[in-house]
Amino acid sequence: MPQPCTYVIFGATGNLSRMKLMPALYHLEEAGKFSEQTTIMLLGRRAWDREQCISKVREWVTDKARGGLNQETFERFASRLHYVRGDLNDASLYAGLRQQIEEGNDFPKNIAFYMAIRPAEFGVVVENLSLSHLLIEEGGWRRVVIEKPFGYDLESAQALQARISRYLKEDQLYRIDHYLGKGTVQNVLVFRFANVMMEPLWNRNYIDHIQITHSESLGVGSRAAFYDGAGAMRDMIQSHLLQLLTLVTMEPPVSMEAEALRDEKVKVLKSVRSIPHSAVHAHAFRAQYTDGTIGGEKVNGYLQEEGVPEASVTETYAALKLYIDNWRWRGVPIYLRTGKRMAESQSMVSICFRHPPQQFFRDTRVEPMRQNWVLLGIQPCECLRVEMTVKEPGLEMRTRQTILDASLRNADEAHTEAYEELLLDIIEGDRSLFLRYDEVEYAWRVVDPVLQTWSMERDFIHTYQAGTWGPQESQRLFEKEEHRWRHSLDPEQ
Ligand code: BG6
């Protein structure tokens, strides 16, 4: 049973808290993961009392509760909730918080401060927590949880780090990349390091290229204010997709302990060949969606979305070709791609193996031999497939593609959300699924030259119609002409 703790949530009435944190905490309650004394304190600007807060939380949780809201579980969960109204810039908020926590007996002295607020506010909150002595680890641990984006580019990430590290030790900081909480993402490690079969093949001698895709059919929605200043490269590639890349390509760590794991991830990021400004267009591609049709419905183009400036050249699609210059991967192109308003919502890693060294069966009716693929479906299909060529039954020598399927989830096994795992890890002090500062810094180093070049090119951006797989022109990133973006987990016949 995890230790008792006080979860203090800044920005508790905001989107992240409603959509992800509260439902995840409720599910942890349901799974019996909280010690009896654990308390959750919600901080927001709204003039709510405790009853109003509980009734709002009930609404948010009802929407997301698996199998419907369980009244008894919710009552237990609600009894842990407290609401505090305040302004993040007001020092008296923190003094009051301290008084409440330190003097009352209801609040465990292990405290996790969760920053579900705008990144620009991280600094001021951490500073105030420190000034009110709330970060001193006396009588219990003090942990601070921050969410991406960690800065806007390398320089601002360094500045943020300099500011918060004045008040916090690295081991008090939990930097969330929620992708790492996804079961299928963790399965990448299990697949690679708990099975011996693939390891001898997992290198430049056998692998032709790797594709990592995260596509969404949703548009920018109500997030234009944030998104237009970020774009797909910052929003998805710098964080989630580079994290996936490290798990797929890292060396086996000394152990699965947090530091050992993160050491190996950083080594990968350090080995990514840097992209010179002169080569940005050969390595990166950006585009923006125009109006189109998704699921039979007409949808707006990015420029017509609410809150998007009319001449915006922010990319809603980004693709990047990288090389990892180490012994294992030198020369293997790795393609990362993400987009909003694409044909389907799907995340997957596709690993394409080389052609067999000789084309046998040349004089038969067998088509040219296909390459083998290993496909790791992250969402919505959580699966692991190996594609192979087999002979079709019958008298003729014909072949077809078939799959070995090691799906991750059986129909009767529950799905857990990434935030459940991460919120529990924070209480347990397990930092293996959180980012260390050097990971953040090296990830920025990978994308910074591209972002700098794009920020200077304000006149033109390629477009793609909403509901498609993105612009054809992005094909130009491929090293070989026969390469294609892999869109589907089904074998391509
Ligand atoms: C977030 C991005 O970090 O990840 C969003 O800011 C994106 O733009 C989301 O939609 C994707 O994550 P998930 O778990 O919803 O697939």
Side-chain angles (χ1 to χ4, degrees):
M1 175 64 66
Q3 301 163 16
C5 96
T6 303
Y7 247 116
V8 180
I9 304 191
F10 289 95
T13 56
N15 209 39
L16 176 67
S17 165
R18 298 169 193 213
M19 305 293 287
K20 301 286 186 187
L21 304 183
M22 288 302 141
L25 290 167
Y26 164 83
H27 283 122
L28 289 178
E29 178 79 64
E30 191 169 49
K33 296 291 185 191
F34 290 140
S35 109
E36 211 176 302
Q37 302 94 317
T38 289
T39 302
I40 300 165
M41 193 183 264
L42 290 86
L43 270 88
R45 261 177 312 188
R46 316 231 168 153
W48 289 348
D49 59 20
R50 180 158 187 264
E51 292 318 308
Q52 281 169 307
C53 166
I54 290 176
S55 112
K56 281 291 174 192
V57 172
R58 182 192 288 273
E59 267 173 42
W60 304 338
V61 170
T62 305
D63 279 353
K64 304 268 176 177
R66 287 190 289 271
L69 189 81
N70 179 308
Q71 293 303 338
E72 205 180 307
T73 307
F74 187 77
E75 294 311 318
R76 213 169 44 243
F77 180 59
S79 71
R80 302 181 188 278
L81 304 179
H82 296 258
Y83 183 74
V84 177
R85 184 188 179 197
D87 175 351
L88 299 179
N89 293 301
D90 179 359
S92 69
L93 169 71
Y94 304 86
L97 201 61
R98 179 172 178 213
Q99 198 175 15
Q100 211 169 341
I101 291 176
E102 306 238 308
E103 291 174 10
N105 286 331
D106 300 346
F107 297 95
K109 305 293 178 276
N110 295 321
I111 309 176
F113 297 102
Y114 200 116
M115 309 286 160
I117 50 180
R118 291 185 300 121
E121 296 167 325
F122 293 166
V124 75
V125 175
V126 169
E127 216 163 84
N128 274 304
L129 287 173
S130 170
L131 289 173
S132 313
H133 308 293
L134 278 161
L135 298 178
I136 301 171
E137 298 194 292
E138 268 171 12
W141 45 254
R142 302 292 153 102
R143 296 174 184 155
V144 171
V145 188
I146 58 178
E147 282 265 345
K148 81 166 231 313
F150 310 111
Y152 181 77
D153 53 13
L154 178 60
E155 212 181 312
S156 56
Q158 286 167 334
L160 173 68
Q161 175 62 11
R163 185 160 186 204
I164 55 185
S165 62
R166 257 186 267 152
Y167 309 107
L168 287 162
K169 293 177 282 166
E170 178 66 22
D171 67 7
Q172 288 180 284
L173 260 169
Y174 286 66
R175 294 184 193 81
I176 287 203
D177 181 312
H178 80 278
Y179 238 67
L180 294 180
K182 294 182 192 279
T184 29
V185 171
Q186 292 158 34
N187 195 38
V188 174
L189 292 181
V190 178
F191 173 58
R192 289 195 55 206
F193 303 131
N195 298 298
V196 77
M197 249 167 67
M198 282 294 164
E199 173 53 25
L201 309 179
W202 212 253
N203 56 52
R204 62 195 298 275
N205 297 326
Y206 295 94
I207 291 181
D208 181 66
H209 74 280
I210 298 176
Q211 298 185 20
I212 302 181
T213 298
H214 172 99
S215 61
E216 294 178 27
S217 58
L218 289 177
V220 70
S222 57
R223 294 172 74 220
F226 157 75
Y227 195 86
D228 198 67
M233 181 67 84
R234 284 190 179 86
D235 187 42
M236 288 299 303
I237 294 190
Q238 187 275 344
S239 50
H240 308 320
L241 297 197
L242 281 180
Q243 280 295 317
L244 255 178
L245 171 125
T246 61
L247 299 180
V248 171
T249 57
M250 67 194 252
E251 292 302 314
V254 178
S255 71
M256 281 295 151
E257 188 267 322
E259 294 317 318
L261 204 66
R262 302 195 292 183
D263 284 346
E264 293 307 331
K265 286 162 68 191
V266 172
K267 277 191 213 162
V268 172
L269 293 170
K270 281 185 181 170
S271 318
V272 171
R273 189 185 305 168
S274 55
I275 301 174
H277 286 281
S278 59
V280 162
H281 294 295
H283 281 261
F285 190 91
R286 66 173 174 168
Q288 199 180 70
Y289 61 83
T290 56
D291 57 353
T293 308
I294 293 189
E297 259 182 53
K298 285 211 160 311
V299 296
N300 279 339
Y302 180 69
L303 294 182
Q304 287 83 52
E305 302 276 21
E306 207 183 314
V308 172
E310 60 183 23
S312 169
V313 285
T314 296
E315 78 284 0
T316 59
Y317 173 100
L320 185 65
K321 171 169 63 179
L322 297 175
Y323 291 92
I324 299 174
D325 282 342
N326 66 13
W327 192 271
R328 189 188 282 266
W329 294 113
R330 181 150 182 125
V332 178
I334 302 178
Y335 303 99
L336 312 181
R337 164 180 68 142
T338 186
K340 297 222 181 262
R341 283 283 187 235
M342 291 182 62
E344 275 174 41
S345 292
Q346 164 151 289
S347 305
M348 66 191 232
V349 179
S350 320
I351 293 150
C352 180
F353 285 75
R354 286 177 182 271
H355 280 290
Q358 266 186 295
Q359 289 274 344
F360 291 122
F361 314 113
R362 214 170 249 155
D363 305 329
T364 67
R365 298 182 60 188
V366 174
E367 311 154 23
M369 274 190 276
R370 299 281 185 89
Q371 286 159 286
N372 299 117
W373 289 80
V374 167
L375 303 168
L376 300 156
I378 308 289
Q379 60 188 33
C381 176
E382 302 185 347
C383 63
L384 199 164
R385 294 180 181 168
V386 181
E387 259 177 39
M388 317 212 48
T389 304
V390 295
K391 182 186 168 306
E392 272 190 4
L395 296 176
E396 287 174 4
M397 191 54 154
R398 284 176 179 276
T399 59
R400 69 175 173 215
Q401 297 300 105
T402 191
I403 44 178
L404 307 179
D405 190 338
S407 282
L408 182 57
R409 183 179 311 287
N410 299 326
D412 58 344
E413 284 169 325
H415 171 87
T416 54
E417 283 287 325
Y419 277 92
E420 294 168 44
E421 166 94 43
L422 298 171
L423 288 167
L424 188 61
D425 284 353
I426 294 161
I427 310 182
E428 292 179 340
D430 180 353
R431 290 183 302 134
S432 41
L433 298 181
F434 297 84
L435 309 193
R436 202 166 65 189
Y437 175 64
D438 48 356
E439 286 182 77
V440 175
E441 172 153 345
Y442 279 99
W444 279 120
R445 286 181 193 278
V446 171
V447 299
D448 246 25
V450 177
L451 292 171
Q452 283 162 9
T453 303
W454 285 356
S455 72
M456 286 180 294
E457 296 173 350
R458 312 294 309 162
D459 300 331
F460 172 76
I461 181 161
H462 286 275
T463 56
Y464 59 103
Q465 201 183 2
T468 64
W469 278 111
Q472 268 302 320
E473 297 96 321
S474 67
Q475 200 66 31
R476 72 158 194 238
L477 295 187
F478 285 115
E479 198 178 64
K480 297 184 193 154
E481 222 170 281
E482 79 231 37
H483 286 165
R484 294 277 173 275
W485 291 115
R486 172 105 200 201
H487 303 315
S488 169
L489 287 163
D490 298 328
E492 290 171 342
Q493 296 296 344

